[in-house]
Amino acid sequence: MNIGQAARASGVTAKMIRYYDEIGLVRPSARTESNYREYDDRQINELKFIRRARSLGFSMEEITRLLSLWRDRGRPSREVKAIADKHIADLDARIAEMQAMAETLRHLSHCCAGDDRPDCPILADLTEGSAPSDPPAHRPRRA
């Protein structure tokens, strides 16, 4: 099948298929006499594999390694598990960082009166890098 058909069959855009081909992530496709790429079922399965791995947030380096292990039918599953476990730990760390950011912003938003006055603890924090501990007593708190 041609690249457009491969894109539809795999759910990967033609542009990304070309990119994966350029960086050597997928095996080189056969070419027609007019130099068009041709893809077979094996390559479509690899593209689907890559699309799914990307949807789970794996890096290109991790995907390269996972794809290599997937192609190797004699692979030890512990290598695959180690990659997945490291990725889980990385995701957990990023989630914790994002939760901390959300909590900080929640606190800053709570401290901001959100009225017509120019004083704003959110902007103050962005300028100074430190969140106020409590909103000033004269400002009404937002519900």
Side-chain angles (χ1 to χ4, degrees):
M1 61 183 77
N2 67 32
I3 195 164
Q5 293 166 325
R8 283 188 293 283
S10 67
V12 177
T13 66
K15 181 178 180 179
M16 289 308 296
I17 293 172
R18 285 186 197 95
Y19 173 70
Y20 296 153
D21 194 24
E22 286 173 24
I23 65 171
L25 187 59
V26 293
R27 296 177 188 175
S29 57
R31 298 282 184 151
T32 65
E33 287 183 22
S34 53
N35 205 30
Y36 287 106
R37 293 176 172 95
E38 286 188 322
Y39 298 88
D40 58 24
D41 289 339
R42 183 196 73 210
Q43 290 163 310
I44 300 303
N45 287 333
E46 289 179 358
L47 291 167
K48 288 178 180 178
F49 181 99
I50 295 165
R51 183 195 56 181
R52 178 65 177 146
R54 286 186 53 97
S55 76
L56 291 172
F58 284 102
S59 69
M60 292 305 287
E61 180 181 322
E62 291 166 327
I63 292 171
T64 299
R65 184 67 186 128
L66 287 168
L67 194 55
S68 173
L69 289 165
W70 181 63
R71 289 172 180 153
D72 177 6
R73 301 292 180 211
R75 72 200 164 248
S77 64
R78 73 178 155 275
E79 290 183 39
V80 179
K81 183 175 174 50
I83 294 168
D85 287 345
K86 182 185 177 308
H87 186 61
I88 292 166
D90 292 344
L91 289 172
D92 286 341
R94 287 176 29 208
I95 289 167
E97 289 172 12
M98 292 178 79
Q99 287 173 330
M101 286 188 281
E103 188 56 38
T104 298
L105 287 170
R106 208 174 277 111
H107 173 73
L108 291 168
S109 180
H110 178 76
C111 292
C112 182
D115 55 19
D116 292 333
R117 291 177 284 183
D119 295 336
C120 179
I122 299 167
L123 295 177
D125 178 79
L126 293 173
T127 302
E128 299 167 13
S130 61
S133 57
D134 289 308
H138 67 278
R139 289 189 190 158
R141 289 187 176 185
R142 290 175 52 182

